[in-house]
Amino acid sequence: MKDGIHPEYVVTEVTCSCGNAFTTRSTVASGKIQAATCNKCHPFYTGKQRILDTGGRVAKFKARYAKTQEKAAQSGK
């Protein structure tokens, strides 16, 4: 490796919004990183799905789906 062209690689503390904290190494000069999600709270690792309903999209879908289920049930009688 060439001298003088690489950033300093320092010990860094990462803190998640859920409160989990761990130490790693990074090129961040301050030595601290704030993360939104980590392996303790991310849905992929926990198996828990978070539904973020922006503008009522999930509610609108459920209402439309309920109407089609009602029509199917009435036509089947």
Side-chain angles (χ1 to χ4, degrees):
M1 294 191 333
K2 293 183 180 181
D3 290 333
I5 65 167
H6 299 285
E8 193 68 30
Y9 199 58
V10 297
V11 175
T12 305
E13 177 150 354
V14 180
T15 307
C16 179
S17 61
C18 71
N20 185 32
F22 57 93
T23 305
T24 186
R25 292 181 52 146
S26 175
T27 58
V28 175
S30 66
K32 294 185 180 190
I33 296 176
Q34 288 289 104
T37 58
C38 65
N39 64 333
K40 301 291 184 190
C41 63
H42 193 280
F44 179 79
Y45 298 110
T46 61
K48 297 177 185 176
Q49 183 66 31
R50 287 190 237 167
I51 297 176
L52 299 176
D53 188 11
T54 306
R57 289 184 287 167
V58 174
K60 288 178 188 177
F61 172 78
K62 287 182 179 180
R64 282 195 310 249
Y65 186 69
K67 288 180 184 177
T68 59
Q69 291 297 320
E70 289 175 8
K71 287 181 184 178
Q74 288 175 358
S75 66
K77 288 184 179 181

